[in-house]
Amino acid sequence: YPKITGTQLFRILKDRGYTGSINTVRRAIRPLRVSKVKAYKPMQYPAGFQGQVDWAHFPAIKVVGGERKLYLFVMVLSWSRTMFARFTFDQKTDSFLRMHEQAFEYFGGSPKELLYDNLKSAVIQRYKDKVQFNPQLLELSALYGFDLQAAKPYSGNQKGRVERAIRYVR
């Protein structure tokens, strides 16, 4: 009976004279359960099609007069895994847009689409599948000719390339 729960099994056993606790039953059946592993299809994109963008937080650094928070802007091209990364002291929109321009200069152009991890610099509001992007980012996308995509919340497999790049820099 693979779908029977520990509580259901405990009630059946109790009706048949079992005097132990429910926790003992749960511990006993835990190794028998087959764990469900969620399968992901590898995401493959042609050259120049997609890039992934994200911010990362790093520990504050000491500067004259105190400490400053440190952030990392990362853009990764999905096909080649070419990475552009720059440290900044803020996550303001103008810094965000300037980092895009520097990344495009570094790459020698922009990909067809950029995938964002619902960061506040890119996604202003989200309701289910409806996404409202930052108007300044929309202007930049029109200027450089790339489409904007927002990753689905809690979907780490969609933005794995940029997450792996951040882990590499750390």
Side-chain angles (χ1 to χ4, degrees):
Y1 302 98
K3 295 187 179 186
I4 192 168
T5 66
T7 305
Q8 291 170 329
L9 183 59
F10 175 71
R11 288 182 186 144
I12 292 168
L13 292 172
K14 193 163 181 111
D15 289 344
R16 295 181 182 181
Y18 176 70
T19 58
S21 75
I22 189 169
N23 291 330
T24 305
V25 174
R26 287 180 179 157
R27 275 194 304 274
I29 65 171
R30 190 173 297 132
L32 305 174
R33 299 282 186 210
V34 177
S35 62
K36 294 179 184 178
V37 177
K38 197 169 187 178
Y40 294 103
K41 180 181 176 192
M43 302 181 115
Q44 297 177 345
Y45 300 98
F49 182 77
Q50 187 196 61
Q52 297 180 7
V53 179
D54 203 359
W55 283 112
H57 300 267
F58 278 77
I61 61 170
K62 293 181 181 181
V63 295
V64 176
E67 289 185 340
R68 297 274 316 257
K69 288 185 179 180
L70 192 62
Y71 304 99
L72 178 69
F73 173 89
V74 180
M75 184 183 292
V76 177
L77 298 180
S78 295
W79 185 77
S80 66
R81 307 258 193 326
T82 303
M83 174 178 59
F84 173 85
R86 291 286 186 275
F87 285 99
T88 64
F89 289 120
D90 63 59
Q91 290 182 315
K92 294 180 181 175
T93 302
D94 59 333
S95 298
F96 186 64
L97 300 176
R98 187 174 62 252
M99 292 296 144
H100 276 73
E101 291 173 342
Q102 289 177 10
F104 298 153
E105 186 178 324
Y106 174 77
F107 294 138
S110 67
K112 184 176 179 344
E113 80 174 24
L114 285 176
L115 179 70
Y116 297 93
D117 182 21
N118 295 298
L119 41 119
K120 291 181 181 179
S121 308
V123 176
I124 292 181
Q125 193 174 24
R126 181 181 197 113
Y127 180 73
K128 295 186 180 178
D129 289 337
K130 306 268 192 250
V131 178
Q132 180 183 358
F133 287 102
N134 182 328
Q136 293 171 305
L137 183 59
L138 286 169
E139 287 179 23
L140 186 76
S141 73
L143 179 66
Y144 283 94
F146 63 89
D147 296 326
L148 304 173
Q149 295 292 322
K152 292 179 184 173
Y154 310 106
S155 300
N157 65 311
Q158 282 190 316
K159 54 191 176 16
R161 289 168 175 90
V162 73
E163 297 294 340
R164 180 66 64 176
I166 290 169
R167 190 189 288 174
Y168 174 76
V169 172
R170 283 188 198 279

